[in-house]
Amino acid sequence: DQQVKQNSPSLSVQEGRISILNCDYTNSMFDYFLWYKKYPAEGPTFLISISSIKDKNEDGRFTVFLNKSAKHLSLHIVPSQPGDSAVYFCAASTETNFGNEKLTFGTGTRLTIIP
Amino acid sequence: EAGVTQFPSHSVIEKGQTVTLRCDPISGHDNLYWYRRVMGKEIKFLLHFVKESKQDESGMPNNRFLAERTGGTYSTLKVQPAELEDSGVYFCASSQDVLTSFWTGGSYEQYFGPGTRLTVT
């Protein structure tokens, strides 16, 4: 049973516009959420994270929103740039022990930025 | 600072053979994780080392998989004997201890290696 779901396998966005990637989770024990970006033949690279005590976290062009009641998070990229073309993975973990916990990933969304 | 490295980058073996994957974490990272991505699906957790101890091995699929981290530095993941369904990309990740990161101001996020693509024919 998949606990983290990314229902859109792909997304195409015009350069300069906003990219919105979505993620849903089912496990209510998750309290820390992350987005990773992956280029071909490379490992995932950490992008941005959010703790369940917040509903928004911003870092430059990237903003993650968390809606705990809906068990939904989204990643906004604005403005989108050609270098943003990659596969984006949503991930979640529990920080109940305030330690380094395993990550549960979604299946990824391939974002293509059209010049 | 060198990142997480994995060797080999690609391995092709026949069903029934043995393969050993190696991961060198970032220096000073006590936490080391193994993950696997099969057929473009989600990246799945296999196990977690803290130094040389197995903290969590709940994701290991069966006893054909053996992971070690002698001395708390590099780690190996051995598959013996390999089956067709073991094909996929095996990622290693490492992270700093959370408390250490607070003291040093560093990040405790997981840093991933480039992966080893394993093909079992």
Side-chain angles (χ1 to χ4, degrees):
Chain A
D1 180 38
Q2 212 170 326
Q3 300 182 68
V4 177
K5 299 177 184 178
Q6 295 177 257
N7 294 318
S8 298
S10 63
L11 175 69
S12 293
V13 174
Q14 205 78 31
E15 180 180 359
R17 306 290 289 269
I18 183 170
S19 295
I20 301 177
L21 295 95
N22 294 302
C23 177
D24 297 290
Y25 62 95
T26 58
N27 188 342
S28 57
M29 296 298 291
F30 288 145
D31 52 14
Y32 190 62
F33 305 89
L34 310 89
W35 285 94
Y36 277 81
K37 176 180 179 179
K38 184 184 178 307
Y39 292 118
E42 294 184 10
T45 302
F46 169 73
L47 195 56
I48 192 169
S49 63
I50 188 168
S51 167
S52 61
I53 61 173
K54 294 185 174 181
D55 54 19
K56 176 182 174 182
N57 188 27
E58 194 171 350
D59 184 2
R61 296 186 298 113
F62 303 92
T63 303
V64 55
F65 296 91
L66 175 63
N67 182 334
K68 289 186 292 292
S69 61
K71 293 191 176 67
H72 177 83
L73 65 156
S74 61
L75 174 68
H76 292 211
I77 307 173
V78 55
S80 300
Q81 299 174 353
D84 296 331
S85 294
V87 177
Y88 288 78
F89 289 95
C90 173
S93 73
T94 60
E95 296 289 345
T96 50
N97 293 322
F98 204 59
N100 302 80
E101 302 291 338
K102 66 183 179 186
L103 299 176
T104 300
F105 284 88
T107 51
T109 296
R110 181 178 301 278
L111 175 65
T112 302
I113 305 302
I114 304 165
Chain B
E1 178 184 87
V4 177
T5 58
Q6 293 186 245
F7 182 83
S9 58
H10 193 182
S11 179
V12 181
I13 61 171
E14 293 183 353
K15 176 183 172 180
Q17 290 186 321
T18 297
V19 64
T20 300
L21 314 181
R22 173 171 170 143
C23 168
D24 286 79
I26 293 173
S27 177
H29 281 193
D30 289 341
N31 294 278
L32 187 149
Y33 309 80
W34 284 98
Y35 292 86
R36 176 174 74 172
R37 189 182 189 206
V38 175
M39 291 282 292
K41 295 187 178 179
E42 72 270 29
I43 300 170
K44 278 194 172 181
F45 168 80
L46 296 177
L47 89 159
H48 171 202
F49 284 100
V50 177
K51 296 183 180 177
E52 67 274 8
S53 299
K54 292 177 184 175
Q55 178 79 10
D56 181 355
E57 50 185 330
S58 61
M60 293 289 263
N62 51 62
N63 59 10
R64 295 186 293 104
F65 289 74
L66 175 64
E68 295 180 326
R69 192 183 182 195
T70 307
T73 54
Y74 71 91
S75 173
T76 58
L77 179 65
K78 180 190 286 188
V79 185
Q80 179 183 30
E83 298 289 344
L84 298 178
E85 64 265 24
D86 300 333
S87 295
V89 181
Y90 289 77
F91 292 106
C92 175
S94 72
S95 69
Q96 198 171 41
D97 174 70
V98 171
L99 293 179
T100 302
S101 70
F102 281 141
W103 285 113
T104 63
S107 167
Y108 62 89
E109 309 302 348
Q110 295 183 27
Y111 292 85
F112 281 76
T116 293
R117 180 174 295 278
L118 175 64
T119 303
V120 183
T121 62

